[in-house]
Amino acid sequence: MTATTDLQLPFERPNVLEIAPLYDLLRREAPVAAVTTPAGDPAWLVTRFEEVRDLLGDKRFGRSHPHPDRAARITHAAIADGPSGDYETEEADHTRMRRLLTPAFSAKRMRQMGEDVQALVDGYVDDLVAAKERDGRADLHETLAVPLPVAVICRLLGVPHEDSEFFRDLSDRMATFDPSADAQGAREEFGRYMAGLAEQKRAQRTEDVISDLVHAQEEDDTYDYEEMIRLSVGLLFAGHETTVNRIGLGTLLLLTQRDRWEYLAEDPDGRTDKVVEEIMRLGAPGDLGLVRYAHQDVDVAGVTIHEGDAVVLSINAANRDPEAFADAEEFEPDREERGHVGFGHGGHFCIGASLARTELRTVFRTLAKRLPDLRLAVDLDDIDVRTQHLTGGVKALPVTW
């Protein structure tokens, strides 16, 4: 990649709910723009909905790189930091991965998880109520948004409940690109833990992802620990960090404009699904996007992306594209356009989308029913946000009612 640029990711955003105004300019004038990544390497930033959606499903792009040692790096995190997988076998490996994970997301397991999620949410809302009675307000982030996805992903993977805090810490460290956090060290620690857990499952299998993967190892000796760990890291990050973030952003989207919350509280059973889809569209986690590498030269929106070039697909910018969504910056659950890319698109559409939707729907439906007078206890500008982190989000979310 030879293009030079003054555009440095991440762009500064006005607050945790809005994305940088520069994205709107890029969508209109340079939907494929040369940028510099947080790691200091060159990449192409794609911001328009049409191109983002198309490239998500374009097999000429992948997560692997023909020469990994020469690939542009995105961040110093241990997740989505650069290329992953084998360039020669990526497509076949991805197909096998989806097949391996299919039992984990079967209709039967999702029904069981749905019952578990409701019980968990009820318990965490009880904790919210107790905290408010004690202190006059409660932290929805620490009391609900964080522990719920951790508990769910631990149950899905087969991680003992007593290790949930350990898992939470590793997930947070792996997703930060602050060098002092030692993201790579956290990933190595995670790998050692998962290898030990796999050996326990080998002796006594249960209905969970790690047991499924151990069984797959026994059936196919080419499937190694490194692949199992990569899948587990991906599930942990996708199933924990992003859901934590969406619960926080969704709460802020609803409570910063009272009419939005009242819309949901008036009919939680009938409106929660639509509200969640709008949270998935308009909530803007992190400031980067999904990373792909070109597997051949490709012309996109008048720009030639060369083999090996890094491409950052801005999901945030795509989901706010006025060419794809009427009044794109407005929170409008009753909108006709439903095709957001919050869960990706095409062959890489998030395999856990149904579970994520179950968690989000259960959270917001339960809050609207049990706490119809819920409101923020501080102004939006006083919300402490996470920086140098892949998914961004808040550090605390004080609420009262």
Side-chain angles (χ1 to χ4, degrees):
M1 183 171 177
T2 58
T4 59
T5 178
D6 293 325
L7 296 178
Q8 171 73 54
L9 291 175
F11 302 148
E12 185 175 353
R13 55 198 298 176
N15 58 56
V16 71
L17 292 182
E18 298 179 63
I19 65 174
L22 180 56
Y23 282 109
D24 184 52
L25 177 66
L26 291 175
R27 272 195 308 257
R28 287 183 281 111
E29 299 188 5
V32 180
V35 297
T36 300
T37 72
D41 288 340
W44 296 105
L45 176 67
V46 184
T47 52
R48 200 160 58 189
F49 181 86
E50 181 180 358
E51 283 79 16
V52 168
R53 181 195 57 199
D54 290 349
L55 294 189
L56 282 169
D58 193 326
K59 293 184 178 181
R60 296 174 296 178
F61 294 82
R63 293 190 173 106
S64 63
H65 193 281
H67 306 287
D69 56 327
R70 300 204 299 253
R73 311 301 293 186
I74 307 303
T75 72
H76 296 295
I79 301 171
D81 54 328
S84 63
D86 189 307
Y87 179 74
E88 299 295 334
T89 62
E90 178 178 356
E91 187 171 347
D93 292 343
H94 178 256
T95 299
R96 179 171 65 165
M97 180 272 290
R98 302 285 290 207
R99 186 172 64 250
L100 286 173
L101 294 178
T102 295
F105 296 96
S106 67
K108 175 187 174 183
R109 286 203 197 170
M110 287 302 98
R111 282 195 300 271
Q112 293 171 340
M113 291 297 291
E115 296 170 2
D116 291 344
V117 169
Q118 184 64 67
L120 286 166
V121 171
D122 287 339
Y124 295 135
V125 174
D126 288 343
D127 294 340
L128 271 178
V129 171
K132 194 263 186 180
E133 291 177 349
R134 183 179 64 248
D135 303 323
R137 66 183 192 178
D139 183 355
L140 192 144
H141 178 71
E142 282 296 322
T143 310
L144 171 60
V146 170
L148 173 66
V150 172
V152 170
I153 199 63
C154 283
R155 291 188 185 191
L156 184 72
L157 288 171
V159 172
H161 175 72
E162 56 268 25
D163 291 343
S164 60
E165 284 298 313
F166 171 71
F167 247 49
R168 172 188 171 182
D169 177 65
L170 286 182
S171 179
D172 187 61
R173 287 168 55 201
M174 285 191 289
T176 183
F177 39 90
D178 179 353
S180 66
D182 189 19
Q184 296 298 333
R187 185 184 176 105
E188 292 170 6
E189 190 175 352
F190 179 85
R192 290 192 295 271
Y193 174 85
M194 295 305 293
L197 183 61
E199 289 310 305
Q200 295 177 33
K201 300 289 184 181
R202 198 180 303 279
Q204 185 175 4
R205 285 179 56 191
T206 52
E207 277 202 0
D208 54 59
V209 169
I210 301 303
S211 293
D212 292 343
L213 298 183
V214 166
H215 179 66
Q217 269 188 328
E218 294 169 352
E219 296 289 315
D220 181 358
D221 59 10
T222 65
Y223 176 69
D224 58 18
Y225 270 123
E226 184 55 40
E227 186 168 2
M228 182 194 74
I229 291 166
R230 185 166 61 249
L231 288 177
S232 299
V233 168
L235 285 172
L236 172 62
F237 179 70
H240 166 226
E241 287 290 345
T242 56
T243 310
V244 169
N245 188 282
R246 296 292 188 181
I247 293 172
L249 290 176
T251 301
L252 288 173
L253 282 166
L254 291 168
L255 297 185
T256 49
Q257 292 191 28
R258 197 66 198 170
D259 61 317
R260 296 173 180 174
W261 178 253
E262 290 173 352
Y263 169 89
L264 174 61
E266 285 171 3
D267 183 11
D269 288 324
R271 295 174 176 174
T272 296
D273 289 5
K274 294 186 291 185
V275 165
V276 164
E277 292 310 304
E278 194 67 343
I279 288 170
M280 285 302 306
R281 183 188 72 85
L282 205 58
D287 290 295
L288 297 175
L290 298 180
V291 181
R292 298 289 186 268
Y293 293 91
H295 287 184
Q296 64 186 72
D297 291 358
V298 183
D299 289 331
V300 181
V303 172
T304 299
I305 300 174
H306 293 287
E307 180 186 23
D309 283 358
V311 179
V312 178
L313 305 175
S314 177
I315 302 300
N316 293 346
N319 277 337
R320 293 174 180 233
D321 186 346
E323 294 297 317
F325 303 96
D327 299 316
E329 294 290 342
E330 296 300 316
F331 188 89
E332 180 48 73
D334 289 318
R335 66 172 57 254
E336 295 181 2
E337 311 95 340
R338 291 291 175 192
H340 66 74
V341 287
F343 288 115
H345 179 72
H348 287 270
F349 183 82
C350 177
I351 194 171
S354 62
L355 181 57
R357 284 185 166 116
T358 295
E359 291 182 64
L360 293 171
R361 289 166 178 169
T362 306
V363 164
F364 290 111
R365 183 174 56 247
T366 304
L367 287 174
K369 286 184 174 183
R370 293 187 56 182
L371 305 175
D373 296 323
L374 187 69
R375 66 182 188 276
L376 293 178
V378 298
D379 292 335
L380 179 62
D381 290 342
D382 294 325
I383 298 288
D384 197 8
V385 302
R386 294 196 297 185
T387 58
Q388 290 193 296
H389 194 279
L390 282 175
T391 61
V394 303
K395 294 181 180 179
L397 190 50
V399 295
T400 190
W401 53 91

